[in-house]
């Protein structure tokens, strides 16, 4: 292991002897840069023996960052090195070997609950770590969990400190008791829902019971029905990614009021991403302990909801009158008697068309919200106020208040940076991150994490070119298109900026590219055609096509858009660039009987399309 070291002051970096770290003129800055950090409370040679047992930690540039002129050390690194604020640190540049094998020990039992622990570790080490050292501990954030998981490095090969950047590392993961961690979730606190079987559950107010539901691939719809038995109330939420499904973090939900029973979730199969076979269902109690029955049905027939209001009365006939109290149609000969009896025994709500028996329990408990049009039972009031009229702030922006829990949950379900997604590149459950800032990311519908994760490059198996992961699909489609053209013997347009099929014209262009040069004039020797081509190319080189989306470097507009170079070519320079193209097309002027002898593959023609 090669080492070059320097002690850093506790107050500011020492740049007086920067030449001590300079590499030779023939050397390049190594990648990755890896350092060894050791605390040095006393740095004089006579006291070095006192600190020989100090623990060293290894890290790279990605492990710490700070403002210009300072070095920021993360808290976990300070803890591993035994550092406290004010300590002096000795920093050595080292070159450890590439890692081949690592054995990691999970220090938390919650590691068993992660679906694909290897994918999670791979993503974390790729973005966050540069080295591994035997005995060190690092933490891995897990989407949907309140705290990160801790892992200890037990063994490494080929040495006790290894570089893990751009290397194939074989990893074994064991539990604290030595057992191998299974990739399947195993948690006694999570029940399992079986279709067609009623599950009775007691849920305390503010608490939840979580169930796992396996979904067969051939099922078309899922119905989760929850019936409250003891007069209490619950909410039902479900999610595919979030284990700890809550009122705020869910994909499907039923927040309906206590008077509306049973609670029901209807999940269509097309709402589930491809390859999804499990969801988590949470029964969340409200106010008091509630006993509920949970049932699941696959592909159950559901009657369409009626669009006719129950209170809507039929139009009165010619011999009928409408009672002003209950709204019923009454024959005219019995109208006075009906209205007298109706007003004595019935009363109508002043806010809605419902009619109740005077003095009945239903009438006494009938309730209308003062802040909206919601109506129901008085027992609905507390839940309605909590969900619909209680301002709440999201942890992603505590300064912004949402007017209700329902609107906050909608934010957490869609645009919140903390919303969990399954990354299509690293296949881990991570926070989606903030909004994208580039046009390509917006068009792809990608947020911060997927845009960053998809920036990693891999080598194309066909052309060996390095392609960002997010562009691999498009890149392979281009290879497929070229192969299809080769099989179909399709000859491409001579214009290098075009990918269409070559047409039957003297310039070897497709019909679209040849359009500006077409003329009905008699031109047997193609002299006029070549003049039109020369004028078009000269104008393109000096003035440009005027398109803000142009990326053609043989166009003044394209050069300005690509590099900001707004200085146009001179007339002489543009003419010089035309000469090779016109020489290649020179045989057109000497063609006889329409027979051309032009090698179109040698023509470097770049026309804006």
């Amino acid at each position: 292991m090669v080492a070059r070291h320097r002690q850093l002051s506790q107050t500011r970096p020492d740049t007086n002897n920067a030449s001590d770290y300079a590499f030779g003129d023939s050397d390049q800055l190594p990648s990755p840069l890896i350092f060894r950090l050791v605390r040095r409370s006393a740095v004089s040679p006579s006291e070095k023996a006192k600190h020989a047992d100090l623990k060293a930690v290894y890290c790279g540039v990605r492990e710490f960052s700070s403002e210009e002129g300072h070095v920021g050390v993360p808290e976990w690194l300070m803890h591993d090195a035994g550092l406290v604020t004010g300590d002096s640190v000795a920093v050595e540049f080292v070159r450890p070997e590439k890692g081949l094998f690592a054995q990691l020990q999970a220090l938390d039992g919650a590691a068993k609950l992660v679906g694909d622990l290897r994918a999670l570790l791979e993503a974390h080490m790729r973005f966050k770590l540069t080295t591994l050292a035997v005995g060190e501990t690092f933490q891995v954030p897990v989407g949907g969990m309140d705290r990160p998981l801790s892992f200890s490095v037990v063994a490494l090969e080929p040495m006790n400190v290894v570089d893990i950047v751009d290397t194939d590392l074989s990893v074994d993961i064991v539990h604290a008791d030595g057992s191998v961690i299974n990739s399947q979730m195993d948690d006694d606190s999570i029940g399992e829902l079986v279709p067609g079987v009623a599950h009775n559950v007691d849920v305390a107010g503010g608490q939840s019971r979580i169930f796992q539901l396996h979904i067969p691939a051939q099922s078309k719809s899922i119905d989760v029905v929850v019936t409250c038995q003891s007069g209490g109330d619950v909410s039902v939420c479900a999610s595919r990614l979030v284990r700890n499904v809550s009122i705020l973090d869910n994909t499907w939900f039923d927040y309906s009021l206590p008077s509306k029973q049973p609670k029901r979730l209807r999940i269509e199969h097309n709402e589930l991403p491809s390859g999804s076979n499990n969801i988590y269902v949470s029964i969340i109690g409200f106010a008091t302990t509630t006993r509920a029955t949970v049932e699941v049905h696959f592909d159950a027939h559901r009657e369409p909801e009626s669009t006719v209001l129950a209170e809507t009365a039929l139009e009165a006939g010619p011999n009928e009158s409408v009672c002003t109290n209950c709204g019923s149609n009454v024959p005219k000969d019995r109208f006075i008697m009906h209205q007298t009896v109706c007003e004595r025994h019935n009363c109508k709500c002043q806010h809605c068309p419902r009619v109740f028996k005077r003095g009945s329990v239903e009438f006494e408990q009938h309730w209308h919200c003062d802040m909206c049009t919601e109506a129901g039972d008085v027992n609905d009031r507390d839940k309605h106020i909590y969900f619909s009229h209680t301002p709440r702030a999201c942890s992603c922006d505590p300064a912004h208040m949402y007017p209700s829990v329902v609107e906050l949950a909608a934010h957490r379900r869609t645009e919140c940076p903390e919303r969990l997604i399954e990354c299509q590149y690293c296949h881990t459950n991570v926070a989606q991150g903030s909004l994208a800032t580039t046009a390509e990311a917006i068009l792809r519908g990608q947020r911060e994490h997927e845009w960053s994760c998809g920036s990693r490059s891999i080598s194309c198996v066909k052309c060996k070119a390095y392609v960002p992961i997010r562009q691999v699909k498009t890149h392979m489609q281009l290879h497929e298109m070229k192969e299809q053209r080769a099989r179909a013997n399709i000859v491409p347009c001579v214009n290098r900026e075009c990918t269409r099929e070559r047409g039957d014209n003297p310039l070897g262009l497709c019909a679209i590219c040849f359009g500006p040069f077409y003329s009905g004039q008699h031109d047997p020797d193609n002299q006029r055609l070549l003049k039109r081509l020369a004028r078009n190319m000269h104008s393109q080189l000096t003035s440009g096509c005027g398109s803000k989306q142009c990326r053609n470097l043989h166009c003044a507009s394209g050069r300005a858009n690509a590099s900001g170079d707004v200085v146009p070519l001179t007339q002489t320079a543009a003419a010089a660039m035309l000469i090779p193209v016109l020489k290649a097309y020179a045989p057109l002027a000497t063609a006889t009987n329409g027979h051309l002898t032009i090698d179109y593959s040698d023509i470097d023609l770049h026309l804006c399309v």
Side-chain angles (χ1 to χ4, degrees):
M1 180 183 296
V2 180
R4 303 182 184 184
H5 70 276
R6 181 61 182 267
Q7 178 174 318
L8 298 183
S9 169
Q10 64 196 39
T11 55
R12 62 182 185 274
D14 183 2
T15 58
N16 293 332
N17 296 313
S19 60
D20 292 350
Y21 296 97
F23 293 89
D25 294 339
S26 61
D27 293 338
Q28 292 184 348
L29 194 64
S31 178
L33 286 172
I34 298 178
F35 306 98
R36 178 175 180 267
L37 271 64
V38 182
R39 177 173 63 88
R40 287 291 185 263
S41 298
V43 296
S44 61
S46 60
E47 298 184 4
K48 280 188 178 182
K50 298 180 182 179
H51 305 280
D53 59 342
L54 290 177
K55 183 179 179 181
V57 293
Y58 297 83
C59 59
V61 174
R62 66 176 59 171
E63 271 86 359
F64 56 85
S65 60
S66 187
E67 298 177 358
E68 188 70 23
H70 297 78
V71 175
V73 181
E75 186 176 347
W76 66 268
L77 204 74
M78 294 182 64
H79 178 270
D80 282 358
L83 298 172
V84 295
T85 304
D87 281 345
S88 295
V89 180
V91 179
E92 302 177 18
F93 166 69
V94 296
R95 287 181 176 174
E97 295 184 28
K98 292 288 185 180
L100 301 176
F101 169 79
Q103 185 179 42
L104 305 179
Q105 185 178 58
L107 304 181
D108 298 278
K112 289 185 176 182
L113 308 180
V114 179
D116 194 340
L117 191 58
R118 291 184 182 278
L120 178 71
L121 283 169
E122 178 187 352
H124 178 78
M125 291 191 292
R126 182 189 306 121
F127 288 107
K128 301 295 184 181
L129 299 179
T130 307
T131 65
L132 288 177
V134 172
E136 76 172 359
T137 302
F138 61 92
Q139 294 183 329
V140 181
V142 182
M145 291 190 177
D146 298 332
R147 58 188 180 85
L149 299 178
S150 296
F151 292 87
S152 175
V153 182
V154 178
L156 293 170
E157 291 181 5
M159 53 194 305
N160 289 339
V161 180
V162 295
D163 171 12
I164 61 173
V165 176
D166 296 332
T167 183
D168 292 329
L169 188 69
S170 177
V171 179
D172 278 353
I173 309 170
V174 297
H175 193 47
D177 58 5
S179 60
V180 178
I181 292 182
N182 198 314
S183 62
Q184 301 296 325
M185 290 190 176
D186 182 19
D187 187 2
D188 296 335
S189 66
I190 298 181
E192 185 170 356
L193 292 177
V194 179
V197 178
H199 301 263
N200 294 320
V201 57
D202 294 318
V203 187
Q207 302 298 315
S208 64
R209 288 293 303 275
I210 300 176
F211 296 89
Q212 185 175 3
L213 174 62
H214 177 74
I215 305 170
Q218 65 273 16
S219 63
K220 296 180 180 179
S221 63
I222 308 156
D223 277 290
V224 181
V225 183
V226 180
T227 305
C228 299
Q229 301 176 357
S230 57
D233 189 58
V234 297
S235 297
V236 187
C237 302
S239 175
R240 189 180 68 86
L241 298 178
V242 184
R243 273 190 62 259
N244 299 322
V245 189
S246 68
I247 292 295
L248 298 179
D249 296 317
N250 57 67
T251 306
W252 304 278
F253 61 92
D254 184 347
Y255 301 151
S256 57
L257 300 179
S259 61
K260 295 178 175 61
Q261 296 288 342
K263 314 293 181 182
R264 184 186 298 269
L265 289 182
R266 175 84 172 186
I267 305 173
E268 301 294 341
H269 196 271
N270 57 11
E271 298 180 86
L272 295 170
S274 59
S276 175
N277 56 6
N278 286 295
I279 64 172
Y280 299 96
V281 179
S282 179
I283 314 300
I284 305 170
F286 183 79
T288 60
T289 300
T290 303
R291 166 156 286 210
T293 302
V294 186
E295 295 179 278
V296 177
H297 305 282
F298 290 143
D299 305 330
H301 176 70
R302 187 174 185 181
E303 294 293 337
E305 296 182 1
S306 175
T307 58
V308 181
L309 295 177
E311 295 83 359
T312 302
L314 296 175
E315 185 178 354
N319 296 322
E320 293 179 328
S321 297
V322 180
C323 176
T324 57
N325 188 53
C326 67
S328 300
N329 297 331
V330 183
K332 289 183 178 180
D333 57 349
R334 294 201 300 264
F335 179 75
I336 296 178
M337 181 181 295
H338 168 85
Q339 193 164 21
T340 302
V341 175
C342 185
E343 290 179 353
R344 182 185 303 163
H345 295 284
N346 301 325
C347 56
K348 181 181 180 180
C349 177
Q350 298 178 355
H351 304 287
C352 69
R354 291 193 63 182
V355 179
F356 301 90
K357 189 173 182 179
R358 194 177 295 277
S360 64
V361 176
E362 287 184 350
F363 178 66
E364 296 297 331
Q365 293 187 345
H366 185 58
W367 161 82
H368 280 268
C369 179
D370 298 331
M371 293 178 280
C372 66
T373 59
E374 187 66 42
D377 192 281
V378 290
N379 296 324
D380 297 340
R381 180 190 296 114
D382 292 343
K383 186 174 183 180
H384 173 72
I385 295 299
Y386 175 79
F387 277 92
S388 301
H389 301 296
T390 304
R392 293 281 296 273
C394 182
S395 55
C396 71
D397 184 9
H400 179 70
M401 299 296 292
Y402 290 87
S404 67
V405 173
V406 175
E407 293 191 30
L408 174 58
H411 160 76
R412 299 276 300 180
R413 213 175 289 121
T414 53
E415 61 185 17
C416 180
E418 297 177 357
R419 174 192 172 222
L420 284 186
I421 61 170
E422 182 178 5
C423 177
Q424 59 182 302
Y425 304 119
C426 63
H427 306 290
T428 56
N429 298 343
V430 294
Q432 66 179 354
S434 56
L435 289 170
T437 56
T438 64
E440 183 182 354
I442 294 172
L443 290 173
R444 290 177 178 271
Q446 294 179 348
R447 308 276 289 209
E448 182 182 20
H449 171 82
E450 284 193 324
W451 179 253
S452 174
C453 192
S455 299
R456 294 179 290 120
S457 296
I458 61 174
S459 176
C460 175
V461 296
K462 293 189 175 182
C463 65
K464 307 304 180 184
Y466 282 94
V467 183
I469 294 179
R470 61 171 174 265
Q471 296 177 3
V472 167
K473 183 177 180 181
T474 304
H475 182 79
M476 297 309 293
Q477 287 175 342
L478 291 175
H479 280 299
E480 179 64 23
M481 184 177 67
K482 291 179 180 178
E483 292 173 1
Q484 289 177 354
R485 282 187 169 180
R487 290 193 295 267
N489 197 24
I490 297 176
V491 182
C493 177
V494 172
N495 183 9
R496 301 297 177 88
E497 305 296 325
C498 177
T499 59
R500 288 179 285 266
E501 185 177 1
R502 184 183 304 175
D504 184 15
N505 57 76
L507 297 181
L509 301 174
C510 67
I512 302 297
C513 294
F514 185 70
F517 307 108
Y518 175 77
S519 175
Q521 294 181 348
H522 182 61
D523 187 20
D525 55 359
N526 298 310
Q527 292 290 343
R528 292 188 178 90
L529 176 62
L530 294 177
K531 288 180 180 179
R532 289 194 295 273
L533 175 64
R535 284 196 300 267
N536 183 289
M537 293 182 59
H538 193 272
S539 174
Q540 178 180 292
L541 290 168
T542 56
S543 302
C545 64
S547 173
K548 293 183 179 180
Q549 281 73 42
C550 179
R551 292 296 183 269
N552 182 4
L553 297 181
H554 290 73
C555 172
S557 300
R559 291 195 304 275
N561 295 333
S563 61
D565 181 13
V566 296
V567 180
L569 291 177
T570 63
Q571 303 286 339
T572 304
M577 294 181 66
L578 290 177
I579 293 175
V581 176
L582 296 178
K583 281 185 177 180
Y585 277 121
L588 282 177
T590 60
T592 60
N593 299 324
H595 296 290
L596 304 179
T597 57
I598 297 179
D599 185 1
Y600 289 109
S601 62
D602 293 335
I603 300 177
D604 188 23
L605 183 62
H606 296 263
L607 298 175
C608 293
V609 293

